[in-house]
Amino acid sequence: MNNVIQHWRDGKSFAGTSTATSPVTNPATGEVTGELLLANVEDARAVIDAAAAAFPTWRDTSLAKRASVLFAFRELINARKEELAAIITSEHGKVLSDALGEVSRGIEVVEFACGIPHLLKGGYTENASTKVDVHSVLQPLGPVAIISPFNFPAMVPMWFFPIAIGAGNTVVIKPSEKDPSAVIWMAELWKEAGLPDGVFNVLQGDKTAVDELLTNPKIKAVSFVGSTPIAQYVYATGTAAGKRVQALGGAKNHAVILPDADLDLAADAMVNAGFGSAGERCMAISAAVAVGPIADDLVAKIAERTATIKTGDGTKDSDMGPLVTKAHRDKVASYIDAGEAAGAKVVVDGRTVIANGGADGFWLGPTLLDNVTPEMSVYTDEIFGPVLSVVRVETYDEALELINSNPYGNGTAIFTNDGGAARRFQNEVEVGMVGINVPIPVPMAYFSFGGWKASLFGDSHAHGTEGVHFFTRTKAITTRWLDPSHGGINLGFPENK
Ligand code: NAD
């Protein structure tokens, strides 16, 4: 195997000492395309040390210079985004247009971070006490870790690193073992953009690498995105080691379709949000909750559209690509089996799909299940595949109760023509991101991205002003220059006069 995917340390590739590797595959062909080095503790420490060594200089680099590097990175990545999309498709499987969409949403965070001089402005109060002034500044934390999932190999790291770097931190990114090359490509681009060596580092690996990032005292904060059990573990372990942690977890997203909704619009939305990226999105719609008498019509309209979806190699003329690994494909298919056995009606069956791709690709076509009930595993579990379940309820209140009693709270949507109902829903639903006639309400970079309940551990969402807050700490400085009073010794608590 020629393609050994290495770490990135101090501005160059780094092999480390571990000999453990993990195969990287092209999901559309099943072919092994690379061997990923898996760090041991020594390798992890070497990468963290590089980030720690680069921090003092980067922290003191002017905001003007930091912003100019961000602008240069934005120009380079925008000019070469097709290359990055092709890398994503080759390891993740999503179709090229979808990979390009992911890159574009990531670039929006870089653009937001280009305004970092403005975002880092502190506050100043003159004469807070007589001839005493107070000001506050936002300072970086130090080396920070970003641990990302397989499903957005470029966008999720980009939710964090532009702001972290702009704010003066140095970073160590631990990408998913399944699709690690996108982040390495971006490391090379940062170098070209003029980022000093050691500010952006990549650590390849599994639990060993993650555990070192969570416990090494040089790492000051951890941004994690992945499944809920691992998010919980990362939050508990990182905070116990005294770090600031934001850990975004899994999801089970519902869309409510009220009887007055435009059913064609809703059916289009269910297909797009249920099957886009083969359902491997944390904002995918997994449960369509049909309220009242419209269920039969809605299911017919979704089925009609689902039948037109072309499943195949993401580099060809396909609407939907393969699943990320064979094991994941088989697990998702087993949920369809279990749903069918429990009494759900398989309206469109993806298990029999004939895909336009390699015979050994990890194929599963879009699947529509009707009459799904809340106790079925296809409903209770996060499936993370192209399976859309229709749950039938009689009233709005039942639909709301279903969502609010679910342990996850990442995204949700309502489809209606009734503004009052929509307004009530946005107020009452216990979910972090809400769409009104919008199925995938991913917030813009200048708002913050984050779910509630088991979808996020910690108190900061990603990017926007919450991202700036997460990657900085506030220092308040109290100053007296003019006419300092010599009041003599006074052990009392300072009072404002
Ligand atoms: P995952 O939890 O398996 O892996 C995420 C990261 O954790 C990877 O870098 C992986 O190497 C590491 N990891 C895995 N097992 C570990 C362990 N035992 N100890 C320490 N580290 C470990 O998630 P995934 O399968 O890569 O991604 C899919 C999941 O991510 C889904 O649950 C999805 O909902 C979630 N996700 C959430 C969001 C969000 O914003 N809330 C966004 C994208 C994905």
Side-chain angles (χ1 to χ4, degrees), residues 148-151 174 177 207 210 224-227 249-250 282 382 449:
S148 58
F150 82 83
N151 67 320
K174 211 282 314 155
E177 304 92 301
K207 181 171 166 50
V210 171
F224 170 90
V225 181
S227 59
C282 65
E382 180 183 34
F449 182 108

Side-chain angles (χ1 to χ4, degrees), residues 147-152 156 159 174-178 205-207 210-211 224-228 230 233-234 248-251 282 382 384 410 449 455:
I147 303 164
S148 58
F150 82 83
N151 67 320
F152 284 107
V156 164
W159 281 351
K174 211 282 314 155
S176 165
E177 304 92 301
K178 299 185 178 97
D206 53 17
K207 181 171 166 50
V210 171
D211 284 347
F224 170 90
V225 181
S227 59
T228 288
I230 310 299
Y233 167 76
V234 164
L248 284 68
C282 65
E382 180 183 34
F384 226 55
N410 213 40
F449 182 108
S455 296

Side-chain angles (χ1 to χ4, degrees), residues 7-14 43 46-55 170-172 187 191 195-203:
H7 317 284
W8 184 267
R9 176 189 182 273
D10 212 12
K12 47 190 163 312
S13 295
F14 172 63
D43 301 339
V47 176
I48 294 167
D49 285 350
F55 175 64
T170 55
V171 302
V172 176
K191 196 172 168 80
L195 189 72
D197 292 347
V199 177
F200 186 94
N201 306 278
V202 184
L203 176 64

